Amino acid sequence: MPNKDNTLYENAEGNTSNGKGEFLFIGRNNTASESVRRALIQFDLSGISQDQMVESASLLLTISRTNDNILAPASLHLVSKDWGEGESDAPGSESGGTDATADDATWLFAKFDSVAWDSAGGDLEEIPTATDTLMNSSEVLQFSSEAMATQINEAIANGQPTISWIIIGDESRNQSARRLLSKESPEEADRPSLTLRFSPTTSIDQEALKQKVRVYPNPAISSQVFIEAQLSGVQDVSIRVKNLIGKTVFATELPSQSGEISTTVPVDKLPGGIYFVSISTADDKFTRKLIVK
């Protein structure tokens, strides 16, 4: 579930929000001006180990109302600035928002009225992280892409405690608005949810194995890195290096060992970035983050 969400209401004063409302809005309503709505959503990543790798991610939101049944595009964009969810709670259908409170995200402010967005409507990456197409109010809005998993892995690897996205609907025409259920929805099953699928991790011996595995130098500053491990017995070993989207960029199999392995992995042809080194036996799998300079 999100740890916070909010709606940005297009507004010249930047003083409208809906931090505690039951609904989020995207697209345009039917007013002559200031009709754009955008939904912000954030998830807590602090409980995920830096050695875990997200293989796939899926974000689901429930649509509770539409202005029409015309196909409407929706896109998910990474947000680059921290933003707030205050105590504002819009009345009625919530489509017009209400007066922003301290730290609320608004059209002009990431946190009202102390931290401004660099760009009105939110500081976001122009290229969408994921897209979907909407029609009826009974539909579920779903975003899933390799880019989502990549962004989450990057955030975890860089020690970021949260990740935020903004949802943009069809802003090319009026009456394209969609109303989504927020994390304050009375029915828990209707609230936004982010589902993550992780690569397999080690069994109960993870901590013991962790003490016995070395991947160095890390960050990698030369043409290769060294891998050393103390295993519980004679076992075949599989080593894989994967990038942030889960693609294997190096693989090797080592025959039965005496309980120790010592090998090298070439990294001179890998682009600089964050990778995951997996060391697997029949009993365990250990994943270690590797930074290539």
Side-chain angles (χ1 to χ4, degrees):
M1 299 292 180
N3 63 310
K4 62 184 178 183
D5 54 23
N6 209 334
T7 297
L8 302 184
Y9 298 82
E10 186 181 18
N11 179 283
E13 289 75 32
N15 59 2
T16 304
S17 192
N18 191 23
K20 297 301 181 183
E22 292 184 17
F23 305 112
L24 302 167
F25 295 86
I26 61 174
R28 284 184 178 271
N29 63 18
N30 57 5
T31 59
S33 61
E34 298 185 342
S35 62
V36 176
R37 308 289 185 259
R38 296 176 175 179
L40 284 166
I41 194 163
Q42 183 182 94
F43 293 90
D44 183 5
L45 305 176
S46 60
I48 303 175
S49 167
Q50 287 193 338
D51 289 328
Q52 288 184 284
M53 180 178 179
V54 176
E55 290 191 343
S56 65
S58 178
L59 173 60
L60 294 179
L61 301 101
T62 302
I63 305 167
S64 71
R65 180 179 293 179
T66 67
N67 277 338
D68 56 42
N69 282 327
I70 300 175
L71 288 174
S75 56
L76 188 73
H77 301 254
L78 189 67
V79 175
S80 60
K81 181 176 290 186
D82 189 33
W83 51 274
E85 178 194 74
E87 297 300 319
S88 59
D89 190 353
S93 68
E94 305 181 9
S95 61
T98 191
D99 291 339
T101 63
D103 288 339
D104 259 326
T106 74
W107 192 255
L108 299 183
F109 292 94
K111 295 182 179 180
F112 184 80
D113 57 353
S114 57
V115 180
W117 296 113
D118 293 334
S119 301
D123 297 344
L124 59 130
E125 289 193 357
E126 182 178 352
I127 298 175
T129 301
T131 59
D132 196 7
T133 303
L134 314 176
M135 186 172 4
N136 299 318
S137 60
S138 60
E139 289 184 342
V140 173
L141 175 60
Q142 179 174 4
F143 296 109
S144 183
S145 68
E146 286 186 353
M148 288 177 64
T150 298
Q151 289 172 356
I152 294 168
N153 281 324
E154 286 179 339
I156 295 168
N158 291 326
Q160 295 174 212
T162 61
I163 189 167
S164 291
W165 290 294
I166 192 168
I167 305 165
I168 296 179
D170 186 353
E171 299 180 355
S172 66
R173 59 185 178 84
N174 280 4
Q175 298 190 5
S176 64
R178 267 51 176 174
R179 189 176 76 178
L180 315 174
L181 296 177
S182 77
K183 69 180 182 65
E184 278 78 22
S185 174
E187 297 294 330
E188 182 174 336
D190 293 334
R191 298 170 188 169
S193 64
L194 177 66
T195 301
L196 304 181
R197 180 176 181 269
F198 294 90
S199 61
T201 56
T202 62
S203 66
I204 57 175
D205 294 327
Q206 176 175 349
E207 288 305 316
L209 183 58
K210 186 173 182 179
Q211 301 299 320
K212 299 178 181 180
V213 174
R214 295 184 64 204
V215 178
Y216 66 95
N218 193 1
I221 54 177
S222 58
S223 62
Q224 61 185 7
V225 296
F226 296 87
I227 297 177
E228 296 177 354
Q230 298 286 330
L231 305 178
S232 57
V234 177
Q235 302 184 69
D236 291 339
V237 179
S238 173
I239 296 176
R240 298 285 186 275
V241 180
K242 296 184 178 182
N243 60 20
L244 284 171
I245 63 173
K247 180 180 179 181
T248 299
V249 296
F250 175 83
T252 188
E253 308 292 333
L254 302 180
S256 295
Q257 303 291 316
S258 61
E260 298 181 359
I261 63 169
S262 179
T263 189
T264 60
V265 172
V267 296
D268 53 316
K269 295 183 180 180
L270 297 181
I274 299 169
Y275 297 84
F276 293 88
V277 180
S278 295
I279 303 168
S280 304
T281 68
D283 299 326
D284 281 299
K285 180 176 180 179
F286 176 74
T287 303
R288 176 66 61 85
K289 179 180 69 174
L290 171 66
I291 300 173
V292 176
K293 292 292 189 179

